[in-house]
Amino acid sequence: MTDTTANTPNDPAGPWAIPVRRPLPGEDRPKSTTSFPRKVWNLLVAIKDGLALIFLLLFFVVLFGLLSGRPNASLPVSQGALLIALDGVVSEQPSEVDPLAALSGSDQLKEIRVRDVVHALEVAADDKRVTSVVLDLDRFLGGGQVSLAEIGAAVDKVRAKKKPVLAFATAYTTDSYQVAAHASEIWADNIGGVAVAGPGGSRLYYKGLMDRLGITAHIYRVGTFKSAVEPYLRSDQSPEAKEANLAYASVLWENWLTDVKKARPAARLDTYIADTAGAVKAAGNDLSKASLDAGLIDKLGSRMAFNTRIAEISGAADDSKPWEYNAIPLENWVAANPPAQKGSAIAVVPIVGEIVDGEAPTGVAGGETIAQHILDAAADSSIKAIVLRVDSPGGSVLASEEIRQALLAAKAKKLPIVVSMANVAASGGYWVSTPADRIFAEPETITGSIGVFGILPSFDQALAKIGVTADGIATTPLSGQPDVFGGVNDEFNALAQASVEDIYGRFTGLVAKSRKQPIEKIRTIAEGRVWAGGTARQIGLVDQFGGLPDALAAAAKLAKVDGDFHARYFEDEPSEFSKMLASWSGAEKETAALPRGWFGIAAMNRQLTERRLVQDISMLTETGSVQAACLDCRAYLPAVPRPGKTEAKGFLATLALLLK
């Protein structure tokens, strides 16, 4: 019998080949000893190839987003209606989008820059390519009163050129109606209408909760009216704070009424606001009909009916679709019509948002960042003067002083300094204004709040409630102080209070010197009290009324500029990547989810209250220096979370989550 496993001379494997026996039928095949490592290696190669493919796709997606996200300077139509869709809020300086927050789906309201809207309207007034202007206010959540007045004045310029301006919203609130009042036709949906609330409302007070939890807030402040820290000291508003807040809120309200009545003289505004519920009841519980009867709106109709009306004026994009009109989007119009750059350059340095130590992105005024912008402007030989555009409730004293020192360096180079106050220029916002040769404000500007405070929580009583105590040694009265777990002692409290009083003395001294007023007079108008722009002018805190154009003209005059001049902004622009994220993720989603009806907008106040709670907790736990801040003034700025301030951290944040 022949051995089938032996190699034959003709075997191509040769005489040294290893015999291989095939398994018999039904017999298990032997397992390969190399299968597992090979599978692992194949898996790793597949992961590597997959990641490479993903990153390659992401690269092209990002590249496409960057290119498509930029406003197109070419216009979609040669002639049509300028569409200004104010979806979100208007602000002096849109904030940088936090990439992590955007990708995680955190709230990021869309912000539209005020000067873009104003410039677009002013150009449209004289440009034949724009045959009408559309104000889409359906998802508008407002802005500062000065910003709204500026937009309204720009709308008036369009109407002065006999161009129709039409506004539409499902329902109008205080802010959206201030803008809409300037339109030649105001439309509302049949299930909408107008509901004006006016300034005012509640804020949260935490004294009862803190006592219950055993948290002690050590407050160091100067100023009878410095109400920023009252939520941690009281369970209600002090009479002094209520008096001051009501005083400037009443001025703002009167200015709002004056603006709207001038734009809509035939509207029965006072009667309607005094008894809106009665007017609605008389109209059969129909808010839209009540608004129409009172003359606050001109026509009721759906968005399709409104669009058809625009198409009648500015032409239809498609004859088969008469409800689609020739639209020129705001972004395209702004890109196609950049501001003129004629004559000498006047630097404009915006100070927008909370003033904080160090560097900060747009929407927050970082002391180092703003100071560097000022120094860059001062070092530029083509710059003839500097205008500081302030829209800030203040913040860190150290950061405010850093900005002031940069302004003094610019003044040392003989550059005139002019301040233009926008919606709010209070506390630290006024501190940075003291080097100015001239200060401009509007009657609706909120300013003053000349006072300082420091705040530090300790948790010794809270820890004691759960059986945790602290003990240790001290070689001096200040050893280990401030001891937030064992308790803050009297020596530290005295030192902290003395520091705050010293800074307050410096603050009032700076104001007295810059305003050329006796220190005694400044002390009577300081004390942390907030003033409306009209009153601030009367008491000498500002020089004259006017907006940014007036401030630029004054700066040019002080610099003895002969001829034309233009503004050159020294600020960080949001990156293209940030803009792309804003359009793709957070801001886009938020815009789509914004409420449209009056009841929905009113209900959104709950979310704004939650944001205020987070801000209050953040201030208590994260404040790192003495503050010159007006926290009540935040209510008169756009309610948007700023970069780095989207969530509270630390012990109190945990407590807040537990209490939900």
Side-chain angles (χ1 to χ4, degrees), residues 446-589:
I446 298 171
T447 188
S449 189
I450 301 168
V452 296
F453 69 89
I455 183 168
L456 181 72
S458 65
F459 308 102
D460 46 313
Q461 296 182 39
L463 294 173
K465 289 179 182 242
I466 58 174
V468 178
T469 57
D471 198 4
I473 60 146
T475 55
T476 73
L478 295 178
S479 293
Q481 291 294 319
D483 190 344
V484 296
F485 299 118
V488 180
N489 64 23
D490 293 339
E491 287 82 0
F492 179 86
N493 285 332
L495 183 62
Q497 182 62 32
S499 176
V500 167
E501 291 178 4
D502 174 64
I503 293 174
Y504 178 72
R506 293 173 185 266
F507 197 173
T508 53
L510 289 173
V511 176
K513 182 179 179 181
S514 66
R515 296 284 89 202
K516 298 179 174 59
Q517 299 282 356
I519 188 66
E520 293 77 16
K521 179 182 178 181
I522 297 301
R523 286 172 181 159
T524 62
I525 62 177
E527 294 285 337
R529 182 158 185 166
V530 181
W531 305 95
T535 311
R537 184 186 178 190
Q538 294 174 8
I539 61 179
L541 289 179
V542 301
D543 294 302
Q544 64 189 88
F545 293 145
L548 183 58
D550 302 296
L552 287 166
K557 184 177 180 180
L558 288 171
K560 299 180 180 178
V561 171
D562 185 17
D564 294 332
F565 58 87
H566 66 275
R568 184 188 301 172
Y569 282 83
F570 283 75
E571 62 179 341
D572 294 330
E573 286 285 345
S575 65
E576 294 295 337
F577 183 65
S578 171
K579 295 175 184 177
M580 180 194 68
L581 287 176
S583 64
W584 283 3
S585 52
E588 192 74 22
K589 294 175 183 177

Side-chain angles (χ1 to χ4, degrees), residues 311-521:
E312 293 172 357
I313 299 172
S314 297
D318 186 340
D319 291 339
S320 64
K321 300 176 181 178
W323 56 86
E324 293 184 3
Y325 59 88
N326 291 321
I328 304 174
L330 172 65
E331 294 79 6
N332 296 68
W333 185 251
V334 170
N337 297 279
Q341 302 290 315
K342 296 180 181 179
S344 301
I346 307 295
V348 178
V349 181
I351 299 181
V352 178
E354 181 184 355
I355 299 175
V356 300
D357 297 316
E359 298 180 347
T362 56
V364 180
E368 289 184 17
T369 303
I370 302 299
Q372 189 59 55
H373 289 322
I374 295 169
L375 295 176
D376 288 343
D380 191 327
S381 59
S382 67
I383 296 297
K384 304 302 181 184
I386 295 177
V387 172
L388 216 61
R389 179 65 168 175
V390 183
D391 197 27
S392 170
S396 165
V397 167
L398 294 175
S400 300
E401 177 61 12
E402 187 172 12
I403 295 171
R404 191 184 76 89
Q405 289 295 331
L407 289 169
L408 293 178
K411 290 193 75 171
K413 299 190 70 172
K414 308 302 182 183
L415 283 174
I417 306 294
V418 175
V419 165
S420 171
M421 294 180 172
N423 302 290
V424 174
S427 285
Y430 196 88
W431 185 299
V432 300
S433 302
T434 55
D437 299 301
R438 201 146 191 83
I439 297 178
F440 286 79
E442 299 285 8
E444 301 87 356
T445 299
I446 298 171
T447 188
S449 189
I450 301 168
V452 296
F453 69 89
I455 183 168
L456 181 72
S458 65
F459 308 102
D460 46 313
Q461 296 182 39
L463 294 173
K465 289 179 182 242
I466 58 174
V468 178
T469 57
D471 198 4
I473 60 146
T475 55
T476 73
L478 295 178
S479 293
Q481 291 294 319
D483 190 344
V484 296
F485 299 118
V488 180
N489 64 23
D490 293 339
E491 287 82 0
F492 179 86
N493 285 332
L495 183 62
Q497 182 62 32
S499 176
V500 167
E501 291 178 4
D502 174 64
I503 293 174
Y504 178 72
R506 293 173 185 266
F507 197 173
T508 53
L510 289 173
V511 176
K513 182 179 179 181
S514 66
R515 296 284 89 202
K516 298 179 174 59
Q517 299 282 356
I519 188 66
E520 293 77 16
K521 179 182 178 181

